[in-house]
Amino acid sequence: MARRKLDVRQNQAVRLPNGRTVRITLINHPGAVIIAPFLNKDTVVMMRQFRPALKKYIYELPAGTLDPHEPIASCARRELLEETGLLTRKLTKLGSIYPVPGYSTEIIHIFKAEQLTLTQAQPEEYEVIETIPMTRSQVRQLMAQGKLMDAKSICTLAFCKWL
């Protein structure tokens, strides 16, 4: 069963800088990571993952939610291994993004992984994932065809200067 790590608060009172108080629905999120795993300078490992909420497969990079008190680099290494079977000897943090600041506290930490070794993937029982090494032109083709729609993956590839 999927681990639920979200805290949804409906009708939450928030005081604005102008002195007004408004009520919002807020999702408290523990934070997450996303990783761009590069086999070499010309090839990134993408995933084709089934997303039950969308009822379809989408293309994305490996990512996942932080466990309580987990260092972000440890989370990145864990998620990379679980979802792709890849171990990295070089993990570089590139930045962070707020994917949906209108209603969530989620922050996603962006990493680039290099010097990879393939082992055995260890996906969660609810994860249906196919890993696909792709060149820059293949990723750009996915974008042009409207097949790469995952915002966090698009941001990560932009941070890598790959789009």
Side-chain angles (χ1 to χ4, degrees), residues 113-145:
E114 301 169 285
Q115 300 176 16
L116 305 172
T117 303
L118 181 60
T119 63
Q120 183 67 39
Q122 303 164 14
E124 302 282 350
E125 67 179 17
Y126 58 87
E127 293 177 316
V128 180
I129 298 170
E130 173 189 0
T131 57
I132 306 168
M134 296 186 133
T135 64
R136 184 184 307 226
S137 64
Q138 289 172 316
V139 170
R140 286 181 176 168
Q141 186 175 17
L142 281 181
M143 287 275 299
Q145 295 170 342

Side-chain angles (χ1 to χ4, degrees), residues 31-72:
V33 299
I34 186 165
I35 310 97
F38 283 89
L39 296 176
N40 57 54
K41 69 180 180 70
D42 300 315
T43 310
V44 69
V45 177
M46 296 289 297
M47 300 185 322
R48 185 174 170 266
Q49 181 168 357
F50 186 78
R51 289 299 190 171
L54 303 175
K55 298 180 183 156
K56 66 179 185 176
Y57 285 89
I58 66 169
Y59 290 93
E60 57 189 303
L61 292 168
T65 303
L66 287 158
D67 286 335
H69 312 293
E70 182 179 29
I72 59 173

Side-chain angles (χ1 to χ4, degrees), residues 4 14 25 44 57 61 71 79 86 91-92 101 104 107 113 127 153-154 162:
R4 293 288 161 228
V14 176
T25 297
V44 69
Y57 285 89
L61 292 168
E79 288 293 342
L86 293 169
L91 187 67
T92 307
S104 176
I107 185 168
E127 293 177 316
S153 295
I154 294 167
W162 232 60

